[in-house]
Amino acid sequence: MSDRNYLVLLGAPGAGKGTQAQLLQEKLGLPQVSTGEIFRYNLKNQTELGKLAQSYYDKGELVPDEVTIRMVEARLEQEDAAQGAILDGFPRNLVQAQALDEMTAGHGGVDVVPMIQLDDDVVTMRITGRRLCRSCDRVYHIMFNPPRGEKCDSCGGELYQRNDDKPETVQNRLYVYYKQTSPLIGYYFAKGLLVEVDGAGSIQEIQEQLLGRLAARNIEAAGRSVRV
Ligand code: AMP
């Protein structure tokens, strides 16, 4: 029985999964569960988990599966995920995908897997131009969404570039994506869960496309309102 909705957003780093997941959570009333964000929070606060993840994170490598899987399991048990979740950045390999199947099996499993497609050169440009505010985490892009000055427009905080957004690490992240994560396209396609979304275009255009695909899959049938 599917009493919860689990969405998995697939796509290369920089394809826009996080941005779309953030918008989607308001529309669907489901929380965004971003493993990258959970790691960044733990790195910033230098928790045990953060210290463990640091070296992998900085190189653009995957944090070991047992750590990541346990972390997601705990997150999905939290109260705000009682109706399901939008997973962004997890799973990233077949072991994680199988673990997610087990975690969600009692609730009908994963419902739909939107795959955001974008060319590598666009992805690279998007990632290397990304800047974040150290205080409020607002995201900018030096070309596509620049701040008005040198500081954060919202809070005046310092802007910085994520270590793993630097050009030398981005190549490795793309390599890791093709080697480890892209097999998930076939995995979810075979289960009939994959829907493709064109990642070129404005944030709003992509969101509308995504909502259209979800509506076609009856994601709103669980009583949630999907407004396109
Ligand atoms: P992201 O913000 O999704 O691009 O993730 C940033 C970094 O966090 C990745 O390059 C990995 O080092 C780590 N990470 C995020 N999600 C996972 C995952 N599912 N498995 C292992 N490592 C992850």
Side-chain angles (χ1 to χ4, degrees), residues 13-14 17 34-37 39-40 53 56-65 68 71-72 88-93 96 130 162 164 173:
K17 298 186 297 293
S34 158
T35 40
E37 254 173 42
F39 284 129
R40 274 187 288 288
Y56 301 98
Y57 184 99
D58 286 346
K59 285 187 287 216
E61 300 287 339
L62 296 188
V63 177
D65 287 337
T68 309
M71 180 177 96
V72 171
D88 149 28
F90 182 92
R92 257 178 155 93
N93 61 26
Q96 294 182 5
R130 188 154 63 182
R162 276 168 49 178
D164 63 329
R173 287 170 69 197

Side-chain angles (χ1 to χ4, degrees), residues 22-200:
Q22 216 159 4
L23 292 172
L24 217 49
Q25 65 175 353
E26 291 158 26
K27 298 248 164 56
L28 301 182
L30 298 173
Q32 169 192 14
V33 171
S34 158
T35 40
E37 254 173 42
I38 304 176
F39 284 129
R40 274 187 288 288
Y41 173 85
N42 282 278
L43 288 169
K44 195 168 164 181
N45 292 292
Q46 279 296 294
T47 63
E48 282 306 308
L49 178 62
K51 285 180 198 157
L52 197 153
Q54 183 98 53
S55 63
Y56 301 98
Y57 184 99
D58 286 346
K59 285 187 287 216
E61 300 287 339
L62 296 188
V63 177
D65 287 337
E66 61 275 17
V67 176
T68 309
I69 290 169
R70 219 176 321 123
M71 180 177 96
V72 171
E73 210 160 13
R75 179 64 188 87
L76 292 183
E77 279 165 13
Q78 284 175 17
E79 219 179 296
D80 65 336
Q83 308 282 320
I86 302 162
L87 290 139
D88 149 28
F90 182 92
R92 257 178 155 93
N93 61 26
L94 285 168
V95 172
Q96 294 182 5
Q98 279 154 0
L100 181 63
D101 285 347
E102 280 169 29
M103 280 179 229
T104 58
H107 304 285
V110 171
D111 292 270
V112 63
V113 181
M115 156 80 196
I116 305 181
Q117 306 266 23
L118 200 60
D119 288 349
D120 284 356
D121 48 352
V122 184
V123 156
T124 305
M125 200 160 65
R126 280 205 191 165
I127 304 183
T128 52
R130 188 154 63 182
R131 298 291 181 274
L132 274 85
C133 171
R134 219 177 268 291
S135 309
C136 72
D137 294 326
R138 183 168 163 183
V139 183
Y140 296 91
H141 190 282
I142 51 172
M143 271 159 70
F144 309 128
N145 177 26
R148 285 193 292 272
E150 287 193 355
K151 302 277 183 188
C152 174
D153 294 348
S154 304
C155 73
E158 184 202 355
L159 301 182
Y160 76 104
Q161 182 175 34
R162 276 168 49 178
N163 272 345
D164 63 329
D165 280 353
K166 298 193 170 144
E168 56 278 18
T169 312
V170 170
Q171 282 315 309
N172 192 43
R173 287 170 69 197
L174 278 175
Y175 175 77
V176 168
Y177 170 74
Y178 282 112
K179 194 161 175 175
Q180 304 202 48
T181 310
S182 67
L184 298 185
I185 300 170
Y187 181 80
Y188 287 119
F189 176 80
K191 287 175 178 279
L193 298 176
L194 197 75
V195 294
E196 292 187 27
V197 175
D198 181 0

